[in-house]
Amino acid sequence: MTNVEEFAHGFGEEPGYLDYGRVGPVSRAVRAELAGQYDILGKARFGTVERMHAEDARVRSAVSALTGFPDEQIAFQPNATSGLMHAAFGLTGGEILLSLAEFPSVTYAAVRAAQAMHVVTPTWLDTDGGPVTPAHIREQVTGSTSAVMVSLVDSRTGYLADIDGIRQVIGDRLLIVDAIQGFGVVDAPYEVADVVVSGGQKWTRAGWGTGFLALSERAIDHLTPVFSGWSGTGAATQTWDEVIEPAHGAKAFTVSNPDPIAQARLAAALEEVAAVGVAAISDAVSDRAERVIDLADEFAIPVSSSRNTAERAGIVVLEPRPEQLTALSASLFNHGVTASVRPTTVRVSVHAGTTEDTLEMLRAAFVSYASAV
């Protein structure tokens, strides 16, 4: 067990980085894992390449520790979108209730599944321009609704969804959660979901090419593994001269052997998170988000994301007047602050390793902005 301070030592990025919602620079532990794994692959000493495939069990165990899903109900994925596609294409009927404002990985999975399979229908949730809430879903769920898809944290607004509340209002319908904007920094009740997907390139800082799909028993019973390759069978070893049925489990939702080095990167990142605990990381992230909000208030920069700690994770959204957005983005750029500038907002993403130097750089940028406007 480590503490947050020791965890923060694993952040190697330069001061000024506030864009974890886009990509998290890989941690020192992940870089060390990557170097070690490539050294093994580069030398290919007798027996070592075969042993690299043990990373599959390792990464599934690491995901299990953070989600509560059993190892055998987890499949490694190259990204969150692949997991969402598996889930959406696997639905066998009814309507999928979701917001059109969700990140495109979610909406495209639902629509492409409907277009290709002709067995499900996306139904767009009306949120009156606000976040996805249990109340909105309660009002619009129908007897034809078979599944609900939602982001744990909205990528544009930073809103943290109440997935426990959503579960309570949808009953035994499938709940599909895209957790990528909160996984590793939000202490969420993942056990209430039927499908949890995430990528490792953001808050867990494992780099691109990493992700997972976790399925409840109900999801395994109700989803059809449409994209199931030779690696997704129930056979203990590779089979020749026959094509056998997919396994009854998460393994079925794979198409080929995974990249063991990518699995090792994700496992190393998640093991580091588990060592300190998601709750402790979440508290540290919340503290730094509060610091950013206080700075924005000090310089009269409007904050459009939620100020309620129960409704936010690591994202703070700034929304200056339209004619002042250019000045704010220029000031951030001139002071070496990395954030996501959108057409009407600036998204600032903090992490447990965000340093005082970085916050001071943000303050300096705000000083210049305030002077300019």
Side-chain angles (χ1 to χ4, degrees):
M1 188 71 177
T2 60
N3 57 38
V4 171
E5 288 72 25
E6 292 170 326
F7 177 72
H9 287 317
F11 287 70
E13 53 267 37
E14 296 289 329
Y17 193 82
L18 290 169
D19 211 6
Y20 297 93
R22 181 166 61 112
V23 60
V26 295
S27 69
R28 288 193 172 96
V30 170
R31 297 207 305 268
E33 186 75 35
L34 181 63
Q37 292 289 336
Y38 270 121
D39 186 61
I40 291 171
L41 183 59
K43 294 177 180 176
R45 184 173 294 118
F46 178 78
T48 56
V49 174
E50 182 61 32
R51 286 200 296 272
M52 291 178 74
H53 293 297
E55 297 300 332
D56 184 67
R58 178 190 174 195
V59 73
R60 288 187 292 107
S61 177
V63 173
S64 175
L66 296 184
T67 62
F69 284 72
D71 297 20
E72 66 273 13
Q73 292 172 213
I74 296 166
F76 180 80
Q77 300 289 318
N79 47 59
T81 300
S82 294
L84 288 168
M85 287 288 189
H86 276 300
F89 276 73
L91 294 169
T92 56
E95 298 176 353
I96 315 172
L97 185 62
L98 72 161
S99 169
L100 187 57
E102 293 284 3
F103 189 78
S105 289
V106 178
T107 56
Y108 272 74
V111 171
R112 293 295 183 254
Q115 292 172 333
M117 306 303 292
H118 306 291
V119 293
V120 293
T121 304
T123 301
W124 303 117
L125 181 72
D126 183 4
T127 64
D128 295 322
V132 175
T133 66
H136 287 129
I137 292 174
R138 181 192 298 112
E139 294 169 357
Q140 296 172 60
V141 71
T142 71
S144 300
T145 305
S146 61
V148 172
M149 298 180 74
V150 65
S151 295
L152 177 63
V153 176
D154 185 273
S155 66
R156 284 191 289 190
T157 67
Y159 181 81
L160 173 60
D162 178 7
I163 60 172
D164 190 27
I166 292 172
R167 165 52 70 197
Q168 293 177 35
V169 302
I170 69 173
D172 62 358
R173 298 169 178 87
L174 292 180
L175 176 56
I176 302 169
V177 177
D178 177 4
I180 193 169
Q181 284 292 4
F183 191 70
V185 295
V186 172
D187 195 14
Y190 294 114
E191 68 277 2
V192 305
D194 293 293
V195 178
V196 178
V197 304
S198 183
Q201 78 273 23
K202 297 182 186 288
W203 302 92
T204 53
R205 304 175 300 134
W208 287 288
T210 60
F212 68 86
L213 168 69
L215 303 173
S216 69
E217 289 284 359
R218 178 166 47 197
I220 290 170
D221 288 340
H222 286 80
L223 295 179
T224 299
V226 175
F227 299 103
S228 185
W230 64 270
S231 65
T233 71
T237 60
Q238 182 174 321
T239 59
W240 299 80
D241 304 319
E242 62 176 332
V243 177
I244 61 179
E245 292 299 306
H248 182 71
K251 183 182 179 183
F253 296 87
T254 64
V255 296
S256 185
N257 280 336
D259 176 357
I261 297 177
Q263 291 181 312
R265 285 191 282 117
L266 182 57
L270 299 189
E271 288 160 359
E272 193 176 23
V273 170
V276 64
V278 174
I281 294 172
S282 178
D283 288 344
V285 170
S286 180
D287 173 72
R288 285 155 178 77
E290 194 70 39
R291 297 276 300 279
V292 172
I293 292 171
D294 289 344
L295 283 173
D297 289 344
E298 181 181 345
F299 293 94
I301 303 173
V303 175
S304 60
S305 52
S306 180
R307 294 170 178 267
N308 185 343
T309 55
E311 295 179 349
R312 70 165 194 249
I315 292 174
V316 178
V317 181
L318 310 177
E319 191 167 2
R321 292 166 57 182
E323 65 271 21
Q324 296 175 348
L325 178 63
T326 299
L328 178 57
S329 60
S331 185
L332 292 169
F333 179 86
N334 290 337
H335 286 81
V337 175
T338 303
S340 286
V341 178
R342 301 288 175 77
T344 60
T345 62
V346 173
R347 187 185 69 181
V348 176
S349 309
V350 297
H351 210 309
T354 297
T355 63
E356 288 297 325
D357 287 346
T358 294
L359 293 174
E360 283 303 312
M361 290 171 69
L362 182 64
R363 169 185 283 277
F366 285 175
V367 169
S368 294
Y369 161 76
S371 300
V373 300

